[in-house]
PDB file of all heavy atoms in Angstrom:
ATOM      1  N   THR A  15      -3.908 -27.578  13.524  1.00 96.00           N
ATOM      2  CA  THR A  15      -2.664 -27.060  14.087  1.00 96.00           C
ATOM      3  C   THR A  15      -2.046 -26.018  13.165  1.00 96.00           C
ATOM      4  O   THR A  15      -2.423 -25.883  11.995  1.00 96.00           O
ATOM      5  CB  THR A  15      -1.660 -28.195  14.301  1.00 96.00           C
ATOM      6  OG1 THR A  15      -1.236 -28.686  13.010  1.00 96.00           O
ATOM      7  CG2 THR A  15      -2.279 -29.342  15.085  1.00 96.00           C
ATOM      8  N   GLN A  16      -1.072 -25.309  13.710  1.00 96.00           N
ATOM      9  CA  GLN A  16      -0.356 -24.346  12.884  1.00 96.00           C
ATOM     10  C   GLN A  16       0.326 -25.040  11.698  1.00 96.00           C
ATOM     11  O   GLN A  16       0.358 -24.525  10.579  1.00 96.00           O
ATOM     12  CB  GLN A  16       0.687 -23.607  13.724  1.00 96.00           C
ATOM     13  CG  GLN A  16       1.430 -22.513  12.979  1.00 96.00           C
ATOM     14  CD  GLN A  16       0.517 -21.372  12.551  1.00 96.00           C
ATOM     15  OE1 GLN A  16       0.066 -20.595  13.372  1.00 96.00           O
ATOM     16  NE2 GLN A  16       0.248 -21.274  11.257  1.00 96.00           N
ATOM     17  N   ASN A  17       0.829 -26.243  11.940  1.00 95.00           N
ATOM     18  CA  ASN A  17       1.475 -26.982  10.854  1.00 95.00           C
ATOM     19  C   ASN A  17       0.467 -27.401   9.782  1.00 95.00           C
ATOM     20  O   ASN A  17       0.793 -27.430   8.591  1.00 95.00           O
ATOM     21  CB  ASN A  17       2.186 -28.218  11.398  1.00 95.00           C
ATOM     22  CG  ASN A  17       2.960 -28.944  10.309  1.00 95.00           C
ATOM     23  OD1 ASN A  17       3.903 -28.403   9.725  1.00 95.00           O
ATOM     24  ND2 ASN A  17       2.553 -30.168  10.019  1.00 95.00           N
ATOM     25  N   ASP A  18      -0.779 -27.716  10.204  1.00 95.00           N
ATOM     26  CA  ASP A  18      -1.814 -28.050   9.221  1.00 95.00           C
ATOM     27  C   ASP A  18      -2.042 -26.872   8.272  1.00 95.00           C
ATOM     28  O   ASP A  18      -2.144 -27.049   7.053  1.00 95.00           O
ATOM     29  CB  ASP A  18      -3.132 -28.400   9.913  1.00 95.00           C
ATOM     30  CG  ASP A  18      -3.047 -29.668  10.741  1.00 95.00           C
ATOM     31  OD1 ASP A  18      -2.151 -30.489  10.477  1.00 95.00           O
ATOM     32  OD2 ASP A  18      -3.892 -29.829  11.645  1.00 95.00           O
ATOM     33  N   VAL A  19      -2.148 -25.686   8.854  1.00 96.00           N
ATOM     34  CA  VAL A  19      -2.350 -24.484   8.041  1.00 96.00           C
ATOM     35  C   VAL A  19      -1.178 -24.308   7.082  1.00 96.00           C
ATOM     36  O   VAL A  19      -1.359 -24.027   5.887  1.00 96.00           O
ATOM     37  CB  VAL A  19      -2.505 -23.232   8.930  1.00 96.00           C
ATOM     38  CG1 VAL A  19      -2.660 -21.979   8.067  1.00 96.00           C
ATOM     39  CG2 VAL A  19      -3.696 -23.378   9.870  1.00 96.00           C
ATOM     40  N   ARG A  20       0.027 -24.510   7.606  1.00 96.00           N
ATOM     41  CA  ARG A  20       1.208 -24.321   6.773  1.00 96.00           C
ATOM     42  C   ARG A  20       1.242 -25.323   5.620  1.00 96.00           C
ATOM     43  O   ARG A  20       1.603 -24.980   4.489  1.00 96.00           O
ATOM     44  CB  ARG A  20       2.472 -24.444   7.620  1.00 96.00           C
ATOM     45  CG  ARG A  20       3.749 -24.070   6.912  1.00 96.00           C
ATOM     46  CD  ARG A  20       3.791 -22.610   6.468  1.00 96.00           C
ATOM     47  NE  ARG A  20       4.025 -21.710   7.566  1.00 96.00           N
ATOM     48  CZ  ARG A  20       3.239 -20.670   7.840  1.00 96.00           C
ATOM     49  NH1 ARG A  20       2.177 -20.413   7.096  1.00 96.00           N
ATOM     50  NH2 ARG A  20       3.513 -19.859   8.841  1.00 96.00           N
ATOM     51  N   GLN A  21       0.869 -26.571   5.871  1.00 94.00           N
ATOM     52  CA  GLN A  21       0.872 -27.578   4.801  1.00 94.00           C
ATOM     53  C   GLN A  21      -0.096 -27.200   3.680  1.00 94.00           C
ATOM     54  O   GLN A  21       0.209 -27.355   2.500  1.00 94.00           O
ATOM     55  CB  GLN A  21       0.497 -28.955   5.364  1.00 94.00           C
ATOM     56  CG  GLN A  21       1.534 -29.578   6.287  1.00 94.00           C
ATOM     57  CD  GLN A  21       2.874 -29.786   5.595  1.00 94.00           C
ATOM     58  OE1 GLN A  21       2.937 -30.130   4.423  1.00 94.00           O
ATOM     59  NE2 GLN A  21       3.948 -29.568   6.342  1.00 94.00           N
ATOM     60  N   ILE A  22      -1.259 -26.706   4.061  1.00 94.00           N
ATOM     61  CA  ILE A  22      -2.221 -26.278   3.040  1.00 94.00           C
ATOM     62  C   ILE A  22      -1.706 -25.051   2.298  1.00 94.00           C
ATOM     63  O   ILE A  22      -1.872 -24.937   1.071  1.00 94.00           O
ATOM     64  CB  ILE A  22      -3.598 -25.992   3.681  1.00 94.00           C
ATOM     65  CG1 ILE A  22      -4.204 -27.294   4.210  1.00 94.00           C
ATOM     66  CG2 ILE A  22      -4.533 -25.330   2.685  1.00 94.00           C
ATOM     67  CD1 ILE A  22      -4.486 -28.340   3.146  1.00 94.00           C
ATOM     68  N   GLN A  23      -1.062 -24.133   3.017  1.00 96.00           N
ATOM     69  CA  GLN A  23      -0.482 -22.970   2.344  1.00 96.00           C
ATOM     70  C   GLN A  23       0.566 -23.392   1.311  1.00 96.00           C
ATOM     71  O   GLN A  23       0.611 -22.850   0.204  1.00 96.00           O
ATOM     72  CB  GLN A  23       0.161 -22.028   3.365  1.00 96.00           C
ATOM     73  CG  GLN A  23      -0.830 -21.211   4.180  1.00 96.00           C
ATOM     74  CD  GLN A  23      -0.120 -20.318   5.176  1.00 96.00           C
ATOM     75  OE1 GLN A  23       0.269 -20.778   6.251  1.00 96.00           O
ATOM     76  NE2 GLN A  23       0.077 -19.061   4.801  1.00 96.00           N
ATOM     77  N   LEU A  24       1.402 -24.350   1.677  1.00 94.00           N
ATOM     78  CA  LEU A  24       2.428 -24.818   0.747  1.00 94.00           C
ATOM     79  C   LEU A  24       1.800 -25.417  -0.506  1.00 94.00           C
ATOM     80  O   LEU A  24       2.244 -25.164  -1.626  1.00 94.00           O
ATOM     81  CB  LEU A  24       3.321 -25.855   1.437  1.00 94.00           C
ATOM     82  CG  LEU A  24       4.251 -25.332   2.534  1.00 94.00           C
ATOM     83  CD1 LEU A  24       4.809 -26.487   3.357  1.00 94.00           C
ATOM     84  CD2 LEU A  24       5.386 -24.516   1.931  1.00 94.00           C
ATOM     85  N   GLY A  25       0.772 -26.226  -0.300  1.00 93.00           N
ATOM     86  CA  GLY A  25       0.110 -26.858  -1.442  1.00 93.00           C
ATOM     87  C   GLY A  25      -0.589 -25.858  -2.329  1.00 93.00           C
ATOM     88  O   GLY A  25      -0.468 -25.897  -3.569  1.00 93.00           O
ATOM     89  N   LYS A  26      -1.324 -24.945  -1.714  1.00 94.00           N
ATOM     90  CA  LYS A  26      -2.094 -23.986  -2.522  1.00 94.00           C
ATOM     91  C   LYS A  26      -1.168 -22.976  -3.197  1.00 94.00           C
ATOM     92  O   LYS A  26      -1.442 -22.517  -4.311  1.00 94.00           O
ATOM     93  CB  LYS A  26      -3.160 -23.310  -1.663  1.00 94.00           C
ATOM     94  CG  LYS A  26      -2.678 -22.251  -0.685  1.00 94.00           C
ATOM     95  CD  LYS A  26      -2.884 -20.847  -1.254  1.00 94.00           C
ATOM     96  CE  LYS A  26      -2.517 -19.771  -0.246  1.00 94.00           C
ATOM     97  NZ  LYS A  26      -2.700 -18.408  -0.805  1.00 94.00           N
ATOM     98  N   ALA A  27      -0.054 -22.650  -2.561  1.00 95.00           N
ATOM     99  CA  ALA A  27       0.900 -21.727  -3.172  1.00 95.00           C
ATOM    100  C   ALA A  27       1.550 -22.356  -4.399  1.00 95.00           C
ATOM    101  O   ALA A  27       1.768 -21.687  -5.417  1.00 95.00           O
ATOM    102  CB  ALA A  27       1.965 -21.313  -2.164  1.00 95.00           C
ATOM    103  N   ALA A  28       1.863 -23.650  -4.316  1.00 94.00           N
ATOM    104  CA  ALA A  28       2.450 -24.337  -5.464  1.00 94.00           C
ATOM    105  C   ALA A  28       1.469 -24.358  -6.632  1.00 94.00           C
ATOM    106  O   ALA A  28       1.853 -24.138  -7.792  1.00 94.00           O
ATOM    107  CB  ALA A  28       2.847 -25.760  -5.075  1.00 94.00           C
ATOM    108  N   LEU A  29       0.189 -24.611  -6.339  1.00 94.00           N
ATOM    109  CA  LEU A  29      -0.817 -24.640  -7.395  1.00 94.00           C
ATOM    110  C   LEU A  29      -0.973 -23.256  -8.023  1.00 94.00           C
ATOM    111  O   LEU A  29      -0.962 -23.109  -9.255  1.00 94.00           O
ATOM    112  CB  LEU A  29      -2.151 -25.126  -6.824  1.00 94.00           C
ATOM    113  CG  LEU A  29      -3.342 -25.110  -7.788  1.00 94.00           C
ATOM    114  CD1 LEU A  29      -3.047 -25.941  -9.031  1.00 94.00           C
ATOM    115  CD2 LEU A  29      -4.601 -25.618  -7.090  1.00 94.00           C
ATOM    116  N   TYR A  30      -1.130 -22.239  -7.189  1.00 96.00           N
ATOM    117  CA  TYR A  30      -1.322 -20.881  -7.710  1.00 96.00           C
ATOM    118  C   TYR A  30      -0.110 -20.442  -8.529  1.00 96.00           C
ATOM    119  O   TYR A  30      -0.250 -19.815  -9.583  1.00 96.00           O
ATOM    120  CB  TYR A  30      -1.564 -19.908  -6.554  1.00 96.00           C
ATOM    121  CG  TYR A  30      -2.007 -18.525  -7.003  1.00 96.00           C
ATOM    122  CD1 TYR A  30      -3.344 -18.174  -6.985  1.00 96.00           C
ATOM    123  CD2 TYR A  30      -1.081 -17.583  -7.462  1.00 96.00           C
ATOM    124  CE1 TYR A  30      -3.760 -16.908  -7.409  1.00 96.00           C
ATOM    125  CE2 TYR A  30      -1.478 -16.332  -7.892  1.00 96.00           C
ATOM    126  CZ  TYR A  30      -2.818 -15.996  -7.857  1.00 96.00           C
ATOM    127  OH  TYR A  30      -3.222 -14.750  -8.293  1.00 96.00           O
ATOM    128  N   ALA A  31       1.089 -20.778  -8.049  1.00 96.00           N
ATOM    129  CA  ALA A  31       2.304 -20.375  -8.761  1.00 96.00           C
ATOM    130  C   ALA A  31       2.357 -21.008 -10.145  1.00 96.00           C
ATOM    131  O   ALA A  31       2.768 -20.364 -11.124  1.00 96.00           O
ATOM    132  CB  ALA A  31       3.543 -20.761  -7.949  1.00 96.00           C
ATOM    133  N   GLY A  32       1.952 -22.271 -10.246  1.00 95.00           N
ATOM    134  CA  GLY A  32       1.910 -22.925 -11.549  1.00 95.00           C
ATOM    135  C   GLY A  32       0.930 -22.246 -12.477  1.00 95.00           C
ATOM    136  O   GLY A  32       1.218 -22.018 -13.670  1.00 95.00           O
ATOM    137  N   ILE A  33      -0.237 -21.900 -11.957  1.00 96.00           N
ATOM    138  CA  ILE A  33      -1.242 -21.201 -12.770  1.00 96.00           C
ATOM    139  C   ILE A  33      -0.711 -19.841 -13.215  1.00 96.00           C
ATOM    140  O   ILE A  33      -0.854 -19.439 -14.373  1.00 96.00           O
ATOM    141  CB  ILE A  33      -2.554 -21.039 -11.971  1.00 96.00           C
ATOM    142  CG1 ILE A  33      -3.169 -22.409 -11.652  1.00 96.00           C
ATOM    143  CG2 ILE A  33      -3.539 -20.164 -12.742  1.00 96.00           C
ATOM    144  CD1 ILE A  33      -4.318 -22.351 -10.666  1.00 96.00           C
ATOM    145  N   ARG A  34      -0.084 -19.130 -12.273  1.00 96.00           N
ATOM    146  CA  ARG A  34       0.424 -17.790 -12.572  1.00 96.00           C
ATOM    147  C   ARG A  34       1.507 -17.827 -13.649  1.00 96.00           C
ATOM    148  O   ARG A  34       1.593 -16.930 -14.504  1.00 96.00           O
ATOM    149  CB  ARG A  34       0.962 -17.160 -11.290  1.00 96.00           C
ATOM    150  CG  ARG A  34       1.358 -15.711 -11.389  1.00 96.00           C
ATOM    151  CD  ARG A  34       0.175 -14.821 -11.661  1.00 96.00           C
ATOM    152  NE  ARG A  34       0.357 -14.063 -12.897  1.00 96.00           N
ATOM    153  CZ  ARG A  34      -0.464 -13.113 -13.318  1.00 96.00           C
ATOM    154  NH1 ARG A  34      -1.542 -12.811 -12.611  1.00 96.00           N
ATOM    155  NH2 ARG A  34      -0.243 -12.481 -14.435  1.00 96.00           N
ATOM    156  N   LEU A  35       2.329 -18.884 -13.634  1.00 96.00           N
ATOM    157  CA  LEU A  35       3.352 -19.028 -14.673  1.00 96.00           C
ATOM    158  C   LEU A  35       2.721 -19.116 -16.056  1.00 96.00           C
ATOM    159  O   LEU A  35       3.186 -18.488 -17.008  1.00 96.00           O
ATOM    160  CB  LEU A  35       4.190 -20.284 -14.419  1.00 96.00           C
ATOM    161  CG  LEU A  35       5.389 -20.158 -13.478  1.00 96.00           C
ATOM    162  CD1 LEU A  35       6.081 -21.504 -13.349  1.00 96.00           C
ATOM    163  CD2 LEU A  35       6.368 -19.103 -13.974  1.00 96.00           C
ATOM    164  N   LEU A  36       1.658 -19.915 -16.168  1.00 96.00           N
ATOM    165  CA  LEU A  36       0.970 -20.031 -17.455  1.00 96.00           C
ATOM    166  C   LEU A  36       0.358 -18.696 -17.859  1.00 96.00           C
ATOM    167  O   LEU A  36       0.390 -18.319 -19.039  1.00 96.00           O
ATOM    168  CB  LEU A  36      -0.108 -21.113 -17.396  1.00 96.00           C
ATOM    169  CG  LEU A  36       0.361 -22.554 -17.146  1.00 96.00           C
ATOM    170  CD1 LEU A  36      -0.813 -23.519 -17.297  1.00 96.00           C
ATOM    171  CD2 LEU A  36       1.486 -22.943 -18.086  1.00 96.00           C
ATOM    172  N   MET A  37      -0.212 -17.978 -16.892  1.00 96.00           N
ATOM    173  CA  MET A  37      -0.794 -16.669 -17.196  1.00 96.00           C
ATOM    174  C   MET A  37       0.282 -15.710 -17.698  1.00 96.00           C
ATOM    175  O   MET A  37       0.062 -14.941 -18.644  1.00 96.00           O
ATOM    176  CB  MET A  37      -1.499 -16.105 -15.959  1.00 96.00           C
ATOM    177  CG  MET A  37      -2.724 -16.907 -15.534  1.00 96.00           C
ATOM    178  SD  MET A  37      -3.450 -16.354 -13.962  1.00 96.00           S
ATOM    179  CE  MET A  37      -4.105 -14.740 -14.434  1.00 96.00           C
ATOM    180  N   ASP A  38       1.463 -15.755 -17.069  1.00 95.00           N
ATOM    181  CA  ASP A  38       2.568 -14.901 -17.517  1.00 95.00           C
ATOM    182  C   ASP A  38       2.968 -15.234 -18.945  1.00 95.00           C
ATOM    183  O   ASP A  38       3.158 -14.344 -19.782  1.00 95.00           O
ATOM    184  CB  ASP A  38       3.782 -15.081 -16.601  1.00 95.00           C
ATOM    185  CG  ASP A  38       3.572 -14.485 -15.223  1.00 95.00           C
ATOM    186  OD1 ASP A  38       2.576 -13.754 -15.039  1.00 95.00           O
ATOM    187  OD2 ASP A  38       4.389 -14.773 -14.327  1.00 95.00           O
ATOM    188  N   ARG A  39       3.113 -16.529 -19.223  1.00 95.00           N
ATOM    189  CA  ARG A  39       3.568 -16.953 -20.548  1.00 95.00           C
ATOM    190  C   ARG A  39       2.559 -16.578 -21.631  1.00 95.00           C
ATOM    191  O   ARG A  39       2.935 -16.331 -22.776  1.00 95.00           O
ATOM    192  CB  ARG A  39       3.796 -18.469 -20.546  1.00 95.00           C
ATOM    193  CG  ARG A  39       4.990 -18.920 -19.719  1.00 95.00           C
ATOM    194  CD  ARG A  39       6.306 -18.622 -20.419  1.00 95.00           C
ATOM    195  NE  ARG A  39       6.511 -19.496 -21.563  1.00 95.00           N
ATOM    196  CZ  ARG A  39       7.154 -20.662 -21.506  1.00 95.00           C
ATOM    197  NH1 ARG A  39       7.652 -21.089 -20.342  1.00 95.00           N
ATOM    198  NH2 ARG A  39       7.304 -21.404 -22.590  1.00 95.00           N
ATOM    199  N   MET A  40       1.278 -16.536 -21.263  1.00 95.00           N
ATOM    200  CA  MET A  40       0.241 -16.202 -22.234  1.00 95.00           C
ATOM    201  C   MET A  40      -0.128 -14.721 -22.195  1.00 95.00           C
ATOM    202  O   MET A  40      -1.009 -14.281 -22.934  1.00 95.00           O
ATOM    203  CB  MET A  40      -1.010 -17.057 -21.991  1.00 95.00           C
ATOM    204  CG  MET A  40      -0.773 -18.535 -22.207  1.00 95.00           C
ATOM    205  SD  MET A  40      -2.284 -19.522 -22.129  1.00 95.00           S
ATOM    206  CE  MET A  40      -3.040 -19.072 -23.682  1.00 95.00           C
ATOM    207  N   HIS A  41       0.547 -13.944 -21.303  1.00 95.00           N
ATOM    208  CA  HIS A  41       0.280 -12.509 -21.149  1.00 95.00           C
ATOM    209  C   HIS A  41      -1.195 -12.276 -20.820  1.00 95.00           C
ATOM    210  O   HIS A  41      -1.865 -11.420 -21.408  1.00 95.00           O
ATOM    211  CB  HIS A  41       0.674 -11.747 -22.423  1.00 95.00           C
ATOM    212  CG  HIS A  41       2.087 -11.997 -22.855  1.00 95.00           C
ATOM    213  ND1 HIS A  41       3.173 -11.514 -22.162  1.00 95.00           N
ATOM    214  CD2 HIS A  41       2.584 -12.712 -23.915  1.00 95.00           C
ATOM    215  CE1 HIS A  41       4.285 -11.905 -22.774  1.00 95.00           C
ATOM    216  NE2 HIS A  41       3.959 -12.637 -23.828  1.00 95.00           N
ATOM    217  N   VAL A  42      -1.673 -13.025 -19.847  1.00 94.00           N
ATOM    218  CA  VAL A  42      -3.074 -12.971 -19.436  1.00 94.00           C
ATOM    219  C   VAL A  42      -3.154 -12.491 -17.991  1.00 94.00           C
ATOM    220  O   VAL A  42      -2.405 -12.963 -17.125  1.00 94.00           O
ATOM    221  CB  VAL A  42      -3.720 -14.372 -19.554  1.00 94.00           C
ATOM    222  CG1 VAL A  42      -5.064 -14.411 -18.856  1.00 94.00           C
ATOM    223  CG2 VAL A  42      -3.867 -14.760 -21.014  1.00 94.00           C
ATOM    224  N   GLU A  43      -4.054 -11.562 -17.718  1.00 93.00           N
ATOM    225  CA  GLU A  43      -4.270 -11.092 -16.349  1.00 93.00           C
ATOM    226  C   GLU A  43      -5.608 -11.546 -15.790  1.00 93.00           C
ATOM    227  O   GLU A  43      -5.790 -11.600 -14.576  1.00 93.00           O
ATOM    228  CB  GLU A  43      -4.184  -9.566 -16.291  1.00 93.00           C
ATOM    229  CG  GLU A  43      -2.775  -9.021 -16.462  1.00 93.00           C
ATOM    230  CD  GLU A  43      -1.819  -9.527 -15.383  1.00 93.00           C
ATOM    231  OE1 GLU A  43      -2.247  -9.691 -14.219  1.00 93.00           O
ATOM    232  OE2 GLU A  43      -0.645  -9.775 -15.712  1.00 93.00           O
ATOM    233  N   ASP A  44      -6.555 -11.862 -16.662  1.00 93.00           N
ATOM    234  CA  ASP A  44      -7.889 -12.248 -16.212  1.00 93.00           C
ATOM    235  C   ASP A  44      -8.278 -13.600 -16.791  1.00 93.00           C
ATOM    236  O   ASP A  44      -8.062 -13.870 -17.981  1.00 93.00           O
ATOM    237  CB  ASP A  44      -8.932 -11.208 -16.635  1.00 93.00           C
ATOM    238  CG  ASP A  44      -8.663  -9.844 -16.005  1.00 93.00           C
ATOM    239  OD1 ASP A  44      -8.544  -9.794 -14.774  1.00 93.00           O
ATOM    240  OD2 ASP A  44      -8.558  -8.865 -16.760  1.00 93.00           O
ATOM    241  N   ILE A  45      -8.869 -14.419 -15.936  1.00 96.00           N
ATOM    242  CA  ILE A  45      -9.388 -15.715 -16.367  1.00 96.00           C
ATOM    243  C   ILE A  45     -10.905 -15.635 -16.319  1.00 96.00           C
ATOM    244  O   ILE A  45     -11.493 -15.196 -15.328  1.00 96.00           O
ATOM    245  CB  ILE A  45      -8.860 -16.846 -15.467  1.00 96.00           C
ATOM    246  CG1 ILE A  45      -7.345 -16.984 -15.659  1.00 96.00           C
ATOM    247  CG2 ILE A  45      -9.556 -18.165 -15.773  1.00 96.00           C
ATOM    248  CD1 ILE A  45      -6.696 -17.982 -14.746  1.00 96.00           C
ATOM    249  N   GLU A  46     -11.536 -16.073 -17.401  1.00 96.00           N
ATOM    250  CA  GLU A  46     -12.986 -15.914 -17.516  1.00 96.00           C
ATOM    251  C   GLU A  46     -13.766 -17.142 -17.064  1.00 96.00           C
ATOM    252  O   GLU A  46     -14.958 -17.048 -16.769  1.00 96.00           O
ATOM    253  CB  GLU A  46     -13.347 -15.597 -18.969  1.00 96.00           C
ATOM    254  CG  GLU A  46     -12.750 -14.286 -19.456  1.00 96.00           C
ATOM    255  CD  GLU A  46     -12.775 -14.161 -20.956  1.00 96.00           C
ATOM    256  OE1 GLU A  46     -11.884 -14.709 -21.629  1.00 96.00           O
ATOM    257  OE2 GLU A  46     -13.709 -13.500 -21.467  1.00 96.00           O
ATOM    258  N   ARG A  47     -13.112 -18.282 -17.010  1.00 96.00           N
ATOM    259  CA  ARG A  47     -13.831 -19.520 -16.684  1.00 96.00           C
ATOM    260  C   ARG A  47     -12.855 -20.493 -16.026  1.00 96.00           C
ATOM    261  O   ARG A  47     -11.746 -20.698 -16.515  1.00 96.00           O
ATOM    262  CB  ARG A  47     -14.411 -20.130 -17.967  1.00 96.00           C
ATOM    263  CG  ARG A  47     -15.149 -21.439 -17.813  1.00 96.00           C
ATOM    264  CD  ARG A  47     -15.793 -21.807 -19.151  1.00 96.00           C
ATOM    265  NE  ARG A  47     -16.445 -23.111 -19.103  1.00 96.00           N
ATOM    266  CZ  ARG A  47     -15.867 -24.250 -19.500  1.00 96.00           C
ATOM    267  NH1 ARG A  47     -14.629 -24.236 -19.978  1.00 96.00           N
ATOM    268  NH2 ARG A  47     -16.516 -25.389 -19.434  1.00 96.00           N
ATOM    269  N   ILE A  48     -13.271 -21.082 -14.891  1.00 96.00           N
ATOM    270  CA  ILE A  48     -12.428 -22.052 -14.183  1.00 96.00           C
ATOM    271  C   ILE A  48     -13.227 -23.325 -13.954  1.00 96.00           C
ATOM    272  O   ILE A  48     -14.368 -23.276 -13.486  1.00 96.00           O
ATOM    273  CB  ILE A  48     -11.931 -21.499 -12.822  1.00 96.00           C
ATOM    274  CG1 ILE A  48     -11.103 -20.228 -13.027  1.00 96.00           C
ATOM    275  CG2 ILE A  48     -11.111 -22.554 -12.086  1.00 96.00           C
ATOM    276  CD1 ILE A  48     -10.631 -19.583 -11.741  1.00 96.00           C
ATOM    277  N   ARG A  49     -12.624 -24.453 -14.286  1.00 95.00           N
ATOM    278  CA  ARG A  49     -13.250 -25.756 -14.065  1.00 95.00           C
ATOM    279  C   ARG A  49     -12.301 -26.607 -13.223  1.00 95.00           C
ATOM    280  O   ARG A  49     -11.132 -26.798 -13.566  1.00 95.00           O
ATOM    281  CB  ARG A  49     -13.531 -26.439 -15.395  1.00 95.00           C
ATOM    282  CG  ARG A  49     -14.520 -25.695 -16.265  1.00 95.00           C
ATOM    283  CD  ARG A  49     -15.945 -25.930 -15.829  1.00 95.00           C
ATOM    284  NE  ARG A  49     -16.422 -27.220 -16.303  1.00 95.00           N
ATOM    285  CZ  ARG A  49     -17.571 -27.764 -15.915  1.00 95.00           C
ATOM    286  NH1 ARG A  49     -18.338 -27.145 -15.030  1.00 95.00           N
ATOM    287  NH2 ARG A  49     -17.962 -28.928 -16.396  1.00 95.00           N
ATOM    288  N   LEU A  50     -12.814 -27.114 -12.103  1.00 93.00           N
ATOM    289  CA  LEU A  50     -12.035 -27.946 -11.192  1.00 93.00           C
ATOM    290  C   LEU A  50     -12.415 -29.399 -11.410  1.00 93.00           C
ATOM    291  O   LEU A  50     -13.568 -29.791 -11.200  1.00 93.00           O
ATOM    292  CB  LEU A  50     -12.296 -27.534  -9.734  1.00 93.00           C
ATOM    293  CG  LEU A  50     -11.974 -26.068  -9.404  1.00 93.00           C
ATOM    294  CD1 LEU A  50     -12.357 -25.756  -7.968  1.00 93.00           C
ATOM    295  CD2 LEU A  50     -10.507 -25.770  -9.638  1.00 93.00           C
ATOM    296  N   ALA A  51     -11.464 -30.189 -11.827  1.00 90.00           N
ATOM    297  CA  ALA A  51     -11.731 -31.577 -12.188  1.00 90.00           C
ATOM    298  C   ALA A  51     -11.311 -32.523 -11.075  1.00 90.00           C
ATOM    299  O   ALA A  51     -10.605 -32.146 -10.141  1.00 90.00           O
ATOM    300  CB  ALA A  51     -10.994 -31.930 -13.487  1.00 90.00           C
ATOM    301  N   GLY A  52     -11.741 -33.779 -11.199  1.00 79.00           N
ATOM    302  CA  GLY A  52     -11.344 -34.816 -10.260  1.00 79.00           C
ATOM    303  C   GLY A  52     -12.239 -34.871  -9.042  1.00 79.00           C
ATOM    304  O   GLY A  52     -13.123 -34.027  -8.837  1.00 79.00           O
ATOM    305  N   ALA A  53     -11.996 -35.882  -8.216  1.00 71.00           N
ATOM    306  CA  ALA A  53     -12.815 -36.081  -7.025  1.00 71.00           C
ATOM    307  C   ALA A  53     -12.712 -34.895  -6.082  1.00 71.00           C
ATOM    308  O   ALA A  53     -13.702 -34.453  -5.499  1.00 71.00           O
ATOM    309  CB  ALA A  53     -12.392 -37.365  -6.315  1.00 71.00           C
ATOM    310  N   PHE A  54     -11.511 -34.326  -5.939  1.00 72.00           N
ATOM    311  CA  PHE A  54     -11.323 -33.176  -5.058  1.00 72.00           C
ATOM    312  C   PHE A  54     -12.120 -31.982  -5.572  1.00 72.00           C
ATOM    313  O   PHE A  54     -12.861 -31.338  -4.833  1.00 72.00           O
ATOM    314  CB  PHE A  54      -9.838 -32.841  -4.970  1.00 72.00           C
ATOM    315  CG  PHE A  54      -9.529 -31.679  -4.065  1.00 72.00           C
ATOM    316  CD1 PHE A  54      -9.497 -31.849  -2.699  1.00 72.00           C
ATOM    317  CD2 PHE A  54      -9.284 -30.421  -4.586  1.00 72.00           C
ATOM    318  CE1 PHE A  54      -9.219 -30.774  -1.858  1.00 72.00           C
ATOM    319  CE2 PHE A  54      -9.008 -29.349  -3.761  1.00 72.00           C
ATOM    320  CZ  PHE A  54      -8.970 -29.529  -2.387  1.00 72.00           C
TER     321      PHE A  54
END
């Protein structure tokens, strides 16, 4: 549903925003390696 899409957008936007904050604080524009942990 449209609401399903919106819920995923909200979740992924919160995650990306948190990552972007750390990148800003470290003055980093490029990430060279990403590791996704956990069952998900």
Side-chain angles (χ1 to χ4, degrees):
T15 68
Q16 184 65 72
N17 185 63
D18 294 338
V19 178
R20 188 63 75 233
Q21 291 300 323
I22 293 297
Q23 285 179 279
L24 290 166
K26 75 99 175 179
L29 175 57
Y30 190 99
I33 296 170
R34 188 65 238 187
L35 274 180
L36 297 187
M37 294 173 69
D38 289 349
R39 290 285 289 268
M40 296 187 73
H41 306 289
V42 168
E43 288 300 324
D44 298 306
I45 294 175
E46 297 164 278
R47 178 173 176 265
I48 300 177
R49 297 281 281 170
L50 302 176
F54 181 79

